[in-house]
Amino acid sequence: MFALKMNVLMIITIIMIMSFGIFGETISKTNSETKLIADLLAGYHPKVAPTDNGPVQVKMGFDMSYFDFIDEPKELAIAHGFVYRGWNDHRLQWNEADYNGTRRVNLDRNTVWVPHIQAANSAKVTELLESQVLVFSTGRVRFYQSLQIEFLCDMDLTYFPYDKQSCNIEFGSSLYTTEHINLTASPNRGTNGSRVNSAKDFQITTLDVQRSEKSFRFIAPYSFVDVTYTIGLKRVSSVYRAKLVVPSVLTSFLILATFLLPTASKEKITFCSNMFLCLLLLIAFLHTTVTSTVETVLGQLLAFSLFVDFFATIMAVVSYNIKNRGTSILTRKDYGIMLQDTTMDGDSGMRAEKTLSTKFAWLRYIDVISFIGFSIVFVIGLAAILNQRE
């Protein structure tokens, strides 16, 4: 029993010694980091760039995680991701042995120099998480920011909804020229669009990066450096095929059926009027989706269909009036009997009807010629719409 108590007491003693050792080491580590931060920032000026050995070599990357159009008619897009910046600052070096083996430390970004880099074409930038600067004993500095960037994207909607878009996010500094920093794109960062989530209307195909320099006369011979990330997009056309493309094409072809109806019938006028309203609704729906409706092939087809329907309606009204006016002025002197006379015999009626049909046959010829001509034009327009750009 005594031996058991001694063993338990020995185990408790060992645990307490180890605990005090770990606790003491933690305190020592904390004191070392506190002393290190105080020594690094003593006499350090965060507004002065470390340009003693020439321009600061700054590498940046953009790891985009999400993309979407928040207002497509206004060509306003949004991107979420981490913006990375890395550089060397010789003033932030230390000997690890002097600070209990401390290899790295986090510093407030307002206490050290950070290269001023911003999205030049952004409308609004929101920082999602508060970031700190990571400093290594070699003077290597890393800075990560989680950003939400709203920016303008010039869109080409000619072949909507089979269009492909290219959006650019330009990162650069408006404060530092190439005399102060040399901005380059970090390899293997932001060059793969397969990991990026996007809205259901678009699919990201490419994500490229390119560095460029811009010179201005007032700062010659120096220039500003930009790193541009280009996002390649392809619209998912199946979303609009059923609710816009197919109804537009079928409605446009139905207009051709008006030329096959009887020349001087009231039903033809009614049918043309209904088609005119349907086309107006389709144009209004297209305009709510894209602002530049007239620039799209689909919008041009609907506009042309509207013109054809207007032309067919005018022809139907004119034909109806010509034929009815011509019938009302027929006299017994011209045909031997009024067409409206119920006492006329069968042969006289047939002769009168044949004479009437012959007199207004030219109206039917116009309908046939219009049907053939507009059918050819519609086939060409439909081929242009369904022609997807690769």
Side-chain angles (χ1 to χ4, degrees):
M1 188 67 180
F2 178 75
L4 180 60
K5 292 182 178 181
M6 291 297 295
N7 291 333
V8 173
L9 183 60
M10 184 178 298
I11 293 174
I12 295 175
T13 303
I14 293 174
I15 293 175
M16 292 181 62
I17 294 174
M18 293 178 62
S19 301
F20 279 117
I22 295 173
F23 182 69
E25 184 180 351
T26 303
I27 295 176
S28 177
K29 191 74 172 178
T30 303
N31 292 335
S32 298
E33 290 186 2
T34 303
K35 183 176 184 302
L36 172 61
I37 294 175
D39 292 343
L40 289 176
L41 300 182
Y44 186 97
H45 201 296
K47 299 297 183 181
V48 179
T51 57
D52 297 348
N53 299 321
V56 182
Q57 303 298 320
V58 179
K59 290 185 178 181
M60 76 157 295
F62 179 44
D63 290 336
M64 188 172 63
S65 58
Y66 180 77
F67 175 88
D68 188 15
F69 278 99
I70 57 177
D71 196 337
E72 188 174 337
K74 294 183 180 180
E75 300 182 342
L76 189 61
I78 187 172
H80 296 190
F82 284 93
V83 176
Y84 155 84
R85 276 165 277 181
W87 67 96
N88 289 324
D89 192 337
H90 62 88
R91 299 170 298 177
L92 299 176
Q93 295 179 349
W94 70 87
N95 187 358
E96 297 180 9
D98 297 339
Y99 298 95
N100 197 23
T102 303
R103 180 173 175 267
R104 64 182 186 180
V105 66
N106 290 322
L107 299 177
D108 190 281
R109 59 181 173 182
N110 296 322
T111 60
V112 297
W113 179 84
V114 175
H116 175 268
I117 297 175
Q118 60 185 4
N121 62 330
S122 64
K124 181 181 179 182
V125 178
T126 304
E127 187 171 7
L128 303 179
L129 297 174
E130 186 176 353
S131 305
Q132 288 187 325
V133 178
L134 181 62
V135 182
F136 294 86
S137 60
T138 58
R140 189 160 51 101
V141 185
R142 298 293 179 265
F143 183 43
Y144 296 87
Q145 282 183 295
S146 178
L147 299 180
Q148 175 180 293
I149 305 173
E150 298 179 15
F151 63 100
L152 298 176
C153 175
D154 295 331
M155 304 182 69
D156 181 9
L157 299 171
T158 303
Y159 292 93
F160 173 88
Y162 301 103
D163 54 315
K164 294 181 179 180
Q165 305 298 335
S166 180
C167 298
N168 296 328
I169 305 180
E170 301 177 5
F171 291 96
S173 176
S174 59
L175 299 180
Y176 298 108
T177 65
T178 52
E179 181 186 13
H180 301 92
I181 64 173
N182 179 30
L183 184 62
T184 57
S186 179
N188 300 325
R189 287 186 177 271
T191 57
N192 185 9
S194 61
R195 299 183 294 104
V196 181
N197 297 321
S198 60
K200 62 181 181 179
D201 288 358
F202 285 92
Q203 176 184 358
I204 295 179
T205 56
T206 59
L207 184 57
D208 301 323
V209 59
Q210 184 178 4
R211 178 186 180 275
S212 61
E213 295 186 12
K214 298 179 180 179
S215 300
F216 302 95
R217 290 182 298 176
F218 62 89
I219 60 167
Y222 305 107
S223 58
F224 291 99
V225 181
D226 287 333
V227 172
T228 302
Y229 287 85
T230 303
I231 308 168
L233 303 165
K234 182 179 181 181
R235 191 186 297 272
V236 181
S237 58
S238 59
V239 177
Y240 298 93
R241 187 179 296 122
K243 64 181 182 181
L244 186 58
V245 177
V246 173
S248 298
V249 173
L250 293 181
T251 303
S252 299
F253 270 101
L254 277 177
I255 297 174
L256 299 176
T258 60
F259 298 107
L260 302 179
L261 294 174
T263 303
S265 61
K266 296 180 180 179
E267 292 78 8
K268 186 174 183 178
I269 300 175
T270 303
F271 186 81
C272 291
S273 301
N274 292 335
M275 289 297 99
F276 197 86
L277 293 177
C278 291
L279 289 171
L280 288 178
L281 290 175
L282 287 170
I283 291 176
F285 178 71
L286 179 61
H287 185 70
T288 59
T289 306
V290 293
T291 53
S292 304
T293 303
V294 294
E295 296 181 1
T296 64
V297 176
L298 187 59
Q300 293 175 0
L301 175 66
L302 290 174
F304 179 75
S305 301
L306 201 65
F307 166 76
V308 175
D309 187 75
F310 174 78
F311 176 76
T313 305
I314 296 298
M315 284 186 57
V317 173
V318 173
S319 299
Y320 182 81
N321 278 276
I322 290 177
K323 192 169 183 179
N324 280 273
R325 288 178 181 273
T327 303
S328 63
I329 63 174
L330 291 177
T331 62
R332 293 179 181 271
K333 182 179 180 180
D334 295 328
Y335 296 103
I337 189 171
M338 290 290 293
L339 291 179
Q340 293 82 3
D341 193 347
T342 57
T343 62
M344 65 180 179
D345 56 34
D347 293 338
S348 299
M350 291 177 62
R351 287 195 302 270
E353 185 67 28
K354 183 177 181 181
T355 304
L356 184 63
S357 300
T358 303
K359 184 175 181 180
F360 297 105
W362 60 275
L363 294 175
R364 190 59 182 169
Y365 294 149
I366 293 178
D367 283 342
V368 173
I369 294 173
S370 299
F371 174 79
I372 296 174
F374 287 123
S375 296
I376 296 174
V377 174
F378 270 116
V379 169
I380 296 174
L382 179 61
I385 290 178
L386 299 180
N387 179 28
Q388 302 184 27
R389 293 183 300 175
E390 299 298 335

